[in-house]
């Protein structure tokens, strides 16, 4: 039921300030690419912060779609996974998961590990050509001993947008560590071999020592036919037992949140120092637009007018690129900084 | 530990760059040359060290 007013319980939860624990839940930011074809690897392929984790469960065309959207909801993008090569008979250990990892420093207000642990509500719009039962899993990655729980949702009608809402209890026993590591992971299982789905029943409350085969019981195999696809957008995870309207952020606010984990320069960076002499290094420091989660891994591409190109992280705020001049034009390259969870 | 990404690391070598000695590890990861900082919070660095500990990867000394 749509909310018509803010009630007292929501105010005392957290209705002011940012509500959505996810970044880029509306798939607005896609720094790396907007589509990639026939992928079989685990990576952040298109939309920022959302990772496709594939263990031999078909190959996929992954894109940020701009045309298949829930009508009237105000979303401009969805994440689309389109089966390119099917795997109708998964091996036991095969899986396909779409997920986001959340830093522990952004989870402390959930008060997990205390008697005041907050409920969490997950809401999202989803659509698929394949109907049936799907699993969402919540994973507390505390190094003292992780705990997980799974919940199911049903896609009832093929090729039709449906809004799903899932509420889970807080865990009073195990907290989220106050670190910049991945402390809460939310998995959308899309295919799961028997290693993950062969148990008798789904592990649907916070538990440690969970048998792997109870994590995705009932999950359909989205990889079983090349006509299968899966779309999702409007993904929100928030404190409380109600799904509030999707939190809208401006493009630049959302981009800045994403750039804590991945940044690429807009085209090539020109290295200073050209004109001194050949065979000496020229260098450019690039101040990052926001503090990155950790010192980033740095790479380059589109190198020109130099040799011995190198890059590196100076800090969480600064990277550099350098090259040996060739004394005919300024050395330059495009730079990438990665500090994903 | 959650389902992680097992990186295909085909080479790793400590790198003395222009900003200092042993400033990073120059690694070829999934076919791409990357400069990985010696930062335990960096997931590439962690994966390199995990593979080193597992005995499946050796980091060469810097030139």
């Amino acid at each position: 039921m749509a909310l018509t007013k803010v009630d007292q319980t929501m105010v005392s939860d957290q209705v002011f300030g940012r509500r959505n624990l996810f970044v880029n839940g509306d798939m607005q930011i896609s720094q790396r690419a907007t589509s990639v074809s026939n992928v079989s690897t685990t990576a952040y392929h298109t939309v920022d912060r959302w990772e496709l984790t594939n263990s031999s469960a078909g190959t996929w065309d992954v894109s940020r779609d701009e045309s298949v959207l829930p009508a009237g909801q105000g979303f401009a993008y969805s994440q689309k996974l389109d089966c390119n090569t099917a795997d109708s008979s998964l091996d036991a250990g095969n899986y396909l998961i779409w997920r986001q990892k959340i830093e522990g420093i952004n989870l402390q207000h959930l008060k997990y590990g205390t008697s005041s642990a907050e409920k969490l509500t997950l809401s999202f719009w989803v659509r698929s050509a394949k109907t049936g039962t799907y699993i969402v899993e919540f994973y507390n990655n505390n190094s003292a001993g992780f705990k997980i729980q799974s919940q199911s949702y049903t896609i009832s009608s093929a090729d039709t947008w449906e809004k799903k809402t899932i509420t889970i209890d807080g865990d009073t026993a195990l907290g989220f560590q106050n670190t910049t590591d991945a402390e809460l992971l939310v998995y959308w299982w899309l295919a799961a071999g028997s290693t993950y789905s062969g148990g008798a029943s789904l592990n649907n409350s916070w538990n440690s020592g969970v048998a792997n085969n109870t994590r995705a019981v009932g999950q359909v195999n989205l990889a079983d036919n090349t006509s299968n696809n899966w779309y999702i957008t409007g993904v929100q995870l928030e404190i409380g037992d109600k799904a509030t309207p999707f939190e809208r952020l401006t493009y630049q606010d959302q981009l800045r949140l994403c750039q804590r984990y991945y940044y690429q320069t807009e085209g090539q960076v020109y290295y200073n120092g050209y004109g001194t002499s050949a065979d000496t290094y020229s260098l450019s420091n690039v101040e990052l637009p926001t503090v990155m989660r950790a010192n980033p891994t740095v790479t380059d591409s589109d190198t020109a007018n130099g040799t011995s190109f190198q890059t590196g992280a100076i800090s969480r705020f600064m990277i550099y690129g350098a090259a040996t001049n060739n004394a005919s034009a300024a050395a330059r390259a495009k730079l990438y900084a990665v500090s994903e969870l | 530990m959650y389902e992680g990404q097992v990186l295909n690391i085909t080479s790793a070598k400590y790198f003395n760059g222009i900003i200092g000695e042993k400033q990073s590890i120059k690694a070829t990861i999934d076919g791409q040359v990357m400069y990985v900082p010696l930062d335990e919070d960096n997931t590439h660095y962690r994966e390199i060290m995990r593979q080193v500990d597992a005995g499946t990867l050796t980091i060469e000394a810097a030139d």
Side-chain angles (χ1 to χ4, degrees):
Chain A
M1 186 177 73
L3 293 171
T4 56
K5 64 179 182 179
V6 177
D7 66 34
Q8 183 60 41
T9 59
M10 294 178 64
V11 173
S12 62
D13 281 345
Q14 190 194 12
V15 76
F16 304 113
R18 285 210 56 211
R19 285 174 285 120
N20 196 351
L21 294 167
F22 288 132
V23 173
N24 205 24
D26 55 0
M27 318 301 151
Q28 190 175 184
I29 307 301
S30 196
Q31 293 185 81
R32 295 171 177 82
T34 54
S35 67
V36 292
S37 298
N38 202 27
V39 296
S40 58
T41 56
T42 292
Y44 295 85
H45 294 291
T46 58
V47 290
D48 281 53
R49 305 299 307 124
W50 296 104
E51 180 185 44
L52 184 65
T53 304
N54 188 357
S55 174
S56 301
T59 69
W60 296 84
D61 298 336
V62 182
S63 61
R64 186 184 70 168
D65 198 275
E66 298 180 27
S67 59
V68 180
L69 302 165
Q73 300 302 316
F75 295 110
Y77 306 103
S78 63
Q79 168 85 94
K80 178 185 181 183
L81 307 180
D82 195 20
C83 186
N84 185 306
T85 306
D87 184 350
S88 60
S89 181
L90 296 170
D91 290 345
N94 293 163
Y95 56 78
L96 182 71
I97 297 163
W98 188 79
R99 68 185 178 188
Q100 187 167 136
K101 306 167 191 167
I102 303 173
E103 292 180 63
I105 58 172
N106 293 328
L107 298 168
Q108 298 309 303
H109 59 303
L110 275 55
K111 296 173 277 190
Y112 270 44
T114 77
S115 58
S116 303
E118 301 276 5
K119 291 178 182 289
L120 283 173
T121 293
L122 172 67
S123 56
F124 55 96
W125 287 88
V126 68
R127 164 184 167 141
S128 178
K130 186 169 183 68
T131 59
T133 299
Y134 290 72
I135 304 299
V136 172
E137 183 177 43
F138 301 84
Y139 197 120
N140 181 346
N141 189 42
N142 192 311
S143 62
F146 65 86
K147 295 177 80 171
I148 54 182
Q149 73 158 287
S150 300
Q151 301 293 329
S152 65
Y153 67 95
T154 302
I155 294 182
S156 304
S157 303
D159 303 319
T160 305
W161 282 103
E162 301 174 22
K163 186 174 184 181
K164 304 301 176 185
T165 300
I166 294 169
T167 297
I168 62 170
D169 289 331
D171 185 359
T172 58
L174 184 67
F176 294 113
Q177 293 167 295
N178 189 27
T179 72
T180 54
D181 286 338
E183 297 295 344
L184 174 62
L185 300 88
V186 182
Y187 287 29
W188 280 257
W189 286 87
L190 301 171
S194 61
T195 297
Y196 303 96
S197 63
S201 60
L202 190 67
N203 170 54
N204 61 4
S205 60
W206 287 115
N207 285 300
S208 57
V210 171
N212 257 340
N213 66 7
T214 65
R215 296 174 59 188
V217 175
Q219 173 64 47
V220 298
N221 179 12
L222 187 70
D224 68 0
N225 194 304
T226 56
S227 65
N228 288 345
N229 53 32
W230 188 77
Y231 297 84
I232 189 167
T233 194
V235 188
Q236 182 153 288
L237 180 66
E238 60 193 308
I239 284 181
D241 59 4
K242 299 178 180 68
T244 63
F246 185 80
E247 180 182 61
R248 309 287 177 171
L249 298 184
T250 63
Y251 173 84
Q252 61 268 34
D253 284 346
Q254 196 76 268
L255 176 63
R256 193 58 54 87
L257 293 172
C258 293
Q259 287 174 331
R260 178 169 170 79
Y261 308 95
Y262 179 85
Y263 170 74
Q264 62 186 39
T265 59
E266 186 79 13
Q268 293 164 308
V269 173
Y270 283 73
Y271 296 169
N272 304 314
Y274 165 68
T276 51
S277 66
D279 300 326
T280 58
Y281 268 101
S282 58
L283 173 147
S284 274
N285 288 322
V286 175
E287 188 171 2
L288 299 166
T290 190
V291 60
M292 297 197 80
R293 186 190 62 80
N295 289 340
T297 299
V298 188
T299 60
D300 61 17
S301 73
D302 304 333
T303 57
N305 296 325
T307 56
S308 303
F309 281 86
Q310 64 173 269
T311 66
I314 295 170
S315 69
R316 296 189 299 156
F317 293 96
M318 185 85 75
I319 60 174
Y320 81 91
T324 305
N325 298 319
N326 65 7
S328 62
R332 55 186 183 268
K334 184 171 182 174
L335 301 180
Y336 307 80
V338 182
S339 187
E340 294 286 2
L341 287 160
Chain B
M1 190 63 185
Y2 59 82
E3 286 65 30
Q5 180 180 9
V6 179
L7 300 172
N8 180 25
I9 304 173
T10 50
S11 70
K13 186 175 186 174
Y14 285 110
F15 181 68
N16 293 336
I18 63 172
I19 64 168
E21 292 186 1
K22 207 174 178 181
Q23 68 177 54
S24 61
I25 297 170
K26 184 178 180 180
T28 303
I29 301 174
D30 293 335
Q32 184 175 17
V33 174
M34 299 184 177
Y35 294 84
V36 180
L38 309 184
D39 180 351
E40 291 185 354
D41 289 334
N42 180 289
T43 51
H44 291 120
Y45 179 73
R46 282 188 189 173
E47 176 63 9
I48 287 171
M49 300 314 293
R50 187 192 69 76
Q51 294 191 20
V52 168
D53 290 344
T56 57
L57 180 69
T58 300
I59 307 174
E60 297 178 49
D63 291 329

